[in-house]
Amino acid sequence: MEEDTVAKSATADESAGEEAMFAVTGMTCAACAAVIEKTVSKVPGVEKVNVNLASEKMVAEFDPAVVAVRDIVEAVERAGYGAKPIVESTAPGVSADDEQRAAQREHEQRQRRLFAFSAALSVPLFVVSMVPPFMEAVPRALAGALSGIFGGMWEPMMVAKYLGFVLATPVQLVAGRQFYRGFWHALKQRTGNMDTLIAVGTSAAYLYSVASTFVPALEAEPAFYETAALLITFVLLGKLLEARAKGRTGDAIRRLAGLAAKTARVVRDGVEVDLPVEEVLPGDVIVVRPGEKVPVDGVVIEGRSSVDESMLTGESIPVEKNPGDQVIGATINKLGSFTMRATKVGRDTMLAQIVRLVEQAQGSKAPVQRFADRISAVFVPAVLTAAAVTFLVWLLVVPRFVDASFYATMTPFVRALLAGTAVVVIACPCALGLATPTAVMVGTGKGAELGVLFKTAEALERLESVDAFVFDKTGTLTVGKPQVTEVVALEEAERDLLALAASLERASEHPLAEAVVARAKESGIDLEQPEGFEAVPGRGVTGAVGGRRVACGTRALMASEGVAVEAHEARIAELEARGQTVLLVAIEGRLAGVIAVADTIKPEARDAVAKLRAAGVDVYMITGDNARTARAIAEQAGIEAERVLAEVLPDRKANEVARLQGEGRVVAMVGDGINDTPALAQADVGIVMGAGTDVALEAGDVVLVRNDLRDALAALELSRATMRKIRQNFLWALGYNTLGIPIAALGLLKPEFAGAAMALSSVSVVTSSLMLKRFKPSVR
């Protein structure tokens, strides 16, 4: 089922308007994307527009009360391009990429037909014009045949020109029509693009050839029909190869979307029926048999099995599932059968959220792209100027000083025309426009395969510069499921102390509170309902249990309650030195006991910290726990004591991140995305640890789906690899133009070969970006 509108909420902030995604066709270079952005941004009600050349998508943020989706499509069409709204499906296996690819395939098929048409005429023209055995034989044979049919004397040279005109004109007017159309629309926008350069270059060669064919005074001059025809053919071939390569940059999304189950066995009215997965509703009871895919996210209600969750976690070992356990759509049931209740369906499933997140990242624009945009904005006028200067130099200056050159057999005008045309053609900035978006698409797609989700291209770029990682302790460096290790009763019986503390803590959702309640239930203690319960952030809880005032928490809470703890400080310090968190329990204003809770460090924490430090970044730990316990945990993780930020209340964590930034550090904050939200927002890059189906997608810039600390290093390494690839692409694209333009200006490159080289440069950049698919993090 599809939504009724293509517009969807852009953010939780209603003032941001609505957002729609479009498949865009007809773009040839970065200048095209700039023209579309400029045109659409002028439409009243459009607040923001971003066009991605590599993915051929446009995302527009707009006010639906002022402008409609159709108005935006018409603006794109006025600019000379095609646009089709992408309707987001509610089915978990259907992505916006599906519809965009359909539009892209339609465009590619048309280009393939044009290329076949152009090649069918250009190849014979090339053979007759450039291959020595045929250059004389074919015109002479045709001249003899025409003389026999029409009489008179037909000159082989003129016959060759007529043949060239007959073969080249359809190429110029049919296959080359799109370049003229793009040139005209760019001209109306007072800008230039690749179409401008191709139209100018091919027209110069073609029109001169027409003149040398039909203007008597120029009949002695050579024609260059093959130059114009081959140039168009090479450009079309290059665009086809480029489109195929660009299509591979979106493989990650297609693979992810393809993981979804197509049907589900749903129990309706006591009968099992197979339904399309998009018809499953929350609350439906679903039967999953061995070897089948779990259709949607849900909870096991009956049966036991093991499930392969490698598509999500990367771990090949199946996970045991029992009643009450969560299961995730698109994972594979291995052994037993089980019955589950659907909790999240359609676009709310984990898989659908991941696909949507990757699409969002691939459609965004990295800040480094501004470099290419600035160059592209002035590139075409600069190239046309360089071509004009080249033409004038060859026409007016070279004949005075140079008697022999590559074009020694031609007139100065012809030499000047071909040199200027070569400059125009070889300088097309296609490769420059593709350098960043193709690398971003492949990099974010590779990240999704590794369980590292970048929300934006900006996050991918920023992470490269991070030199300080700040890890939250509970649930990030530690498992997040603390257990009571010791109960020290001072003025109450141990069982009574635990009963009072657990009764109070049952109203709290803090992990430490859950540990105390769990211990009491294990001991068979019946809990009472607390009265006047109050949670003091970062300190603990207070209230009344059975008519007695109870406080449970930190030293700071005891101080605020006027409870003296000094007499038992040695025992408390001993527990904290072993890395245990100590909950102090006061009853009626007196310290009645101590409950020690330990949260074990994650097995991979020490390895992750060591490798991050080896990668050149400093690692900090931040926690609201006391300094002694924090240092003990940090020591187990391999974090230096001086980089432990302890006793930091939740609302002060952002201040600690800001302090590090004030020291000139570029900070990545790694947390669970709930209590750490302010710090995640303050950090240069917020990294959220994923957990089951409840990934906090809105809390940070990067999501680590596997909940594995080592993936923070994988994210850093992928960011560095992607930015390195972008710089390599820029170096190639700019180096190509830096070397190619002088070579063409010196008359050492024929225009048709310049066209082939230009097409090759774009394909090379895209292919270079595709090499990122081979990226392997050092931690896997």
Side-chain angles (χ1 to χ4, degrees):
M1 295 183 293
E2 295 182 342
E3 294 181 347
D4 294 332
T5 177
V6 296
K8 59 184 181 292
S9 176
T11 64
D13 183 3
E14 293 183 1
S15 66
E18 293 187 1
E19 190 177 88
M21 183 179 292
F22 303 80
V24 180
T25 55
M27 293 190 294
T28 54
C29 66
C32 297
V35 167
I36 296 173
E37 287 182 348
K38 181 179 179 182
T39 303
V40 175
S41 64
K42 291 181 180 178
V43 176
V46 174
E47 300 164 1
K48 185 179 180 182
V49 60
N50 176 44
V51 177
N52 189 303
L53 174 64
S55 64
E56 297 185 338
K57 292 178 183 176
M58 177 181 74
V59 178
E61 206 172 278
F62 61 97
D63 183 350
V66 179
V67 62
V69 168
R70 181 61 204 165
D71 299 326
I72 297 175
V73 171
E74 290 175 352
V76 176
E77 292 172 346
R78 284 198 304 273
Y81 305 89
K84 179 181 178 182
I86 296 176
V87 182
E88 185 177 351
S89 173
T90 58
V94 179
S95 70
D97 184 69
D98 294 328
E99 292 198 33
Q100 189 272 340
R101 280 296 295 165
Q104 192 178 57
R105 278 195 298 270
E106 182 181 338
H107 179 69
E108 286 176 21
Q109 289 170 359
R110 180 174 177 274
Q111 292 297 98
R112 188 174 289 108
R113 290 192 296 269
L114 287 174
F115 167 70
F117 172 81
S118 181
L121 296 173
S122 299
V123 171
L125 180 56
F126 169 76
V127 171
V128 173
S129 304
M130 304 290 289
V131 180
F134 300 95
M135 291 172 64
E136 295 182 7
V138 174
R140 187 181 299 113
L142 287 175
L146 291 172
S147 297
I149 296 173
F150 298 103
M153 294 294 294
W154 290 75
E155 289 290 332
M157 184 184 76
M158 292 306 299
V159 170
K161 286 187 176 183
Y162 295 146
L163 179 62
F165 175 76
V166 170
L167 293 174
T169 299
V171 175
Q172 193 73 31
L173 300 182
V174 178
R177 181 186 174 192
Q178 60 183 313
F179 301 118
Y180 287 109
R181 187 170 58 247
F183 172 36
W184 171 244
H185 286 293
L187 195 62
K188 288 194 297 183
Q189 298 294 328
R190 297 181 181 180
T191 185
N193 56 13
M194 173 191 148
D195 293 330
T196 303
L197 300 179
I198 298 301
V200 169
T202 59
S203 295
Y206 174 75
L207 293 177
Y208 170 78
S209 299
V210 171
S212 74
T213 303
F214 298 104
V215 177
L218 297 175
E219 286 182 355
E221 297 293 338
F224 297 99
Y225 288 112
E226 77 283 354
T227 294
L230 285 173
L231 182 51
I232 290 175
T233 302
F234 279 136
V235 171
L236 290 176
L237 176 60
K239 287 300 164 187
L240 281 176
L241 295 175
E242 177 188 310
R244 174 176 288 187
K246 284 197 297 184
R248 291 175 58 199
T249 63
D251 284 348
I253 287 183
R254 284 186 287 279
R255 278 197 297 270
L256 285 170
L259 293 173
K262 301 299 185 291
T263 61
R265 187 172 290 105
V266 182
V267 178
R268 294 276 172 89
D269 299 324
V271 179
E272 294 181 14
V273 292
D274 288 332
L275 298 176
V277 71
E278 54 265 29
E279 294 184 16
V280 177
L281 302 174
D284 275 346
V285 174
I286 301 170
V287 177
V288 183
R289 294 175 180 171
E292 293 182 340
K293 287 184 177 180
V294 178
V296 296
D297 297 357
V299 178
V300 176
I301 56 177
E302 184 179 343
R304 288 175 171 78
S305 185
S306 57
V307 176
D308 179 1
E309 296 184 342
S310 58
M311 57 76 61
L312 177 69
T313 66
E315 296 293 343
S316 59
I317 301 175
V319 180
E320 294 296 323
K321 297 295 181 180
N322 299 300
D325 291 339
Q326 291 182 331
V327 287
I328 302 166
T331 56
I332 301 174
N333 183 31
K334 301 298 287 186
L335 299 176
S337 296
F338 62 86
T339 303
M340 59 175 284
R341 177 172 284 107
T343 56
K344 292 184 179 180
V345 302
R347 65 193 300 259
D348 294 327
T349 63
M350 180 66 169
L351 178 62
Q353 291 183 65
I354 290 175
V355 169
R356 194 159 56 247
L357 194 63
V358 176
E359 286 177 337
Q360 174 185 328
Q362 292 189 344
S364 63
K365 184 178 290 188
V368 71
Q369 177 65 28
R370 300 191 193 108
F371 170 71
D373 292 345
R374 286 195 298 268
I375 293 178
S376 297
V378 299
F379 202 79
V380 173
V383 168
L384 292 176
T385 301
V389 171
T390 299
F391 175 81
L392 293 174
V393 169
W394 274 95
L395 180 65
L396 304 176
V397 179
V398 172
R400 296 185 179 184
F401 302 100
V402 179
D403 188 37
S405 73
F406 186 78
Y407 302 122
T409 60
M410 304 174 189
T411 64
F413 179 83
V414 173
R415 284 183 286 177
L417 178 66
L418 293 181
T421 301
V423 169
V424 167
V425 173
I426 202 167
C428 288
C430 310
L432 187 65
L434 292 168
T436 296
T438 53
V440 167
M441 286 185 70
V442 179
T444 52
K446 186 64 180 179
E449 293 177 5
L450 297 171
V452 177
L453 304 181
F454 292 92
K455 290 182 66 175
T456 64
E458 184 177 1
L460 180 67
E461 179 179 339
R462 264 203 322 262
L463 186 57
E464 181 209 24
S465 304
V466 166
D467 58 11
F469 270 72
V470 178
F471 286 92
D472 176 49
K473 180 177 76 70
T474 305
T476 302
L477 279 173
T478 63
V479 175
K481 294 183 178 179
Q483 296 180 333
V484 173
T485 57
E486 192 170 347
V487 178
V488 180
L490 300 176
E491 296 191 358
E492 297 277 339
E494 180 178 319
R495 188 177 179 86
D496 293 339
L497 176 70
L498 189 57
L500 289 169
S503 295
L504 179 63
E505 293 282 17
R506 69 183 300 185
S508 173
E509 296 180 353
H510 195 281
L512 297 181
E514 293 176 358
V516 174
V517 173
R519 176 62 176 271
K521 289 182 177 180
E522 289 171 3
S523 302
I525 298 174
D526 294 326
L527 303 182
E528 299 182 41
Q529 187 66 34
E531 299 176 355
F533 175 84
E534 181 182 359
V536 184
R539 296 186 177 184
V541 293
T542 62
V545 178
R548 305 173 72 185
R549 171 75 176 177
V550 181
C552 184
T554 65
R555 290 180 179 82
L557 180 67
M558 296 299 107
S560 65
E561 292 284 314
V563 178
V565 300
E566 291 77 8
H568 305 283
E569 187 62 45
R571 180 63 172 143
I572 296 171
E574 178 188 345
L575 294 171
E576 290 176 341
R578 298 205 300 263
Q580 299 182 74
T581 298
V582 173
L583 295 177
L584 304 177
V585 183
I587 301 174
E588 298 294 353
R590 294 175 59 84
L591 187 63
V594 175
I595 299 176
V597 180
D599 185 7
T600 58
I601 194 168
K602 287 183 177 178
E604 75 276 9
R606 191 171 187 87
D607 183 41
V609 170
K611 288 182 176 177
L612 278 169
R613 293 175 61 185
V617 299
D618 292 330
V619 180
Y620 294 77
M621 186 185 80
I622 191 167
T623 179
D625 218 334
N626 67 82
R628 190 179 288 113
T629 300
R631 282 195 294 269
I633 295 293
E635 183 179 358
Q636 296 175 41
I639 300 174
E640 301 97 322
E642 61 269 20
R643 292 199 166 93
V644 175
L645 310 173
E647 299 179 16
V648 180
L649 297 178
D651 60 345
R652 304 297 295 176
K653 288 183 179 180
N655 294 344
E656 289 295 326
V657 172
R659 182 180 62 79
L660 290 174
Q661 291 171 322
E663 296 173 359
R665 313 304 298 271
V666 181
V667 180
M669 173 69 193
V670 186
D672 60 16
I674 302 172
N675 296 328
D676 304 313
T677 300
L680 289 165
Q682 174 64 43
D684 297 283
V685 180
I687 301 178
V688 180
M689 302 296 291
T693 58
D694 296 321
V695 177
L697 296 180
E698 300 301 324
D701 305 303
V702 183
V703 179
L704 306 183
V705 177
R706 298 196 317 155
N707 214 29
D708 190 320
L709 287 171
R710 290 170 296 190
D711 286 345
L713 175 63
L716 177 66
E717 291 176 339
L718 180 57
S719 171
R720 290 177 175 178
T722 303
M723 294 308 299
R724 191 161 54 244
K725 183 61 66 178
I726 288 174
R727 294 188 186 97
Q728 289 174 4
N729 288 348
F730 276 147
L731 182 63
W732 164 252
L734 292 175
Y736 158 82
N737 283 310
T738 302
L739 295 175
I741 292 176
I743 291 174
L746 290 171
L748 302 176
L749 194 62
K750 288 188 174 183
E752 58 267 35
F753 297 144
M758 179 273 292
L760 179 63
S761 71
S762 298
V763 175
S764 298
V765 164
V766 178
T767 303
S768 171
S769 294
L770 287 171
M771 298 295 286
L772 276 171
K773 288 188 173 185
R774 300 182 180 181
F775 168 82
K776 292 183 179 180
S778 62
V779 292
R780 298 285 178 98

